[in-house]
Amino acid sequence: MTTDRPDFLGALAPAHRDRLRTLAREVSFPAELRIFDEGGPADRFWVIRSGTVALDVYEPGRGAAVVETLGDGELLGWSWLFEPYHWHLGARTRAPVTAYEFDAEQVREAIDADPAFGLAVTRCVAAVAIGRRLRAARLRLLDLYGAPGREPWTGAAGAAP
């Protein structure tokens, strides 16, 4: 993980991080497991402890195109926070993964019950996940659909070419 990809839990104040951790359960996934599909119900989310997960978007006629790869400390899933609670991307493990798993409804209830906690989690999701992921998806789409004859950029998703 690089400095431009902060640890999701580390981005929260200690009290909010501790509160969120009380809602977690530890899970593990084998390599090449499809965790969720674009359009499916977003009823949970994860913070990756170890391993890697590829986020992808389905392209008719081409299959799944990876838009970003996530690793240690990163948030997997943000669609659980905003209605209609359906995944905007798909996710598949690239290597075995251990993670903290959170039940989305339970976390949303905690957010509603404590506005300070809710604001902290919502800001963290927006800053750490949404903004960066939208930039990474945009760069990946530029690679896929850029000017004819232009060499595709092959660097890490999310970094500027």
Side-chain angles (χ1 to χ4, degrees), residues 25-114:
R25 72 181 191 102
E26 293 186 30
V27 296
S28 60
F29 303 114
E32 299 305 319
L33 175 76
R34 191 79 179 156
I35 299 174
F36 55 82
D37 289 307
E38 183 178 350
D43 60 354
R44 63 196 72 243
F45 66 98
W46 302 264
V47 174
I48 300 169
R49 296 179 61 218
S50 67
T52 55
V53 176
L55 296 177
D56 56 44
V57 61
Y58 180 76
E59 298 180 71
R62 291 180 125 169
V66 174
V67 294
E68 187 172 14
T69 301
L70 306 177
D72 300 3
E74 293 190 89
L75 175 68
L76 172 58
W78 57 264
S79 302
W80 60 273
L81 187 55
F82 305 103
E83 290 187 44
Y85 310 126
H86 292 283
W87 298 118
H88 293 264
L89 300 169
R92 176 182 301 278
T93 59
R94 286 233 164 134
V97 168
T98 61
Y100 293 118
E101 182 178 81
F102 299 87
D103 176 273
E105 186 173 344
Q106 188 179 30
V107 174
R108 286 193 303 265
E109 288 172 0
I111 284 170
D112 290 343
D114 181 348

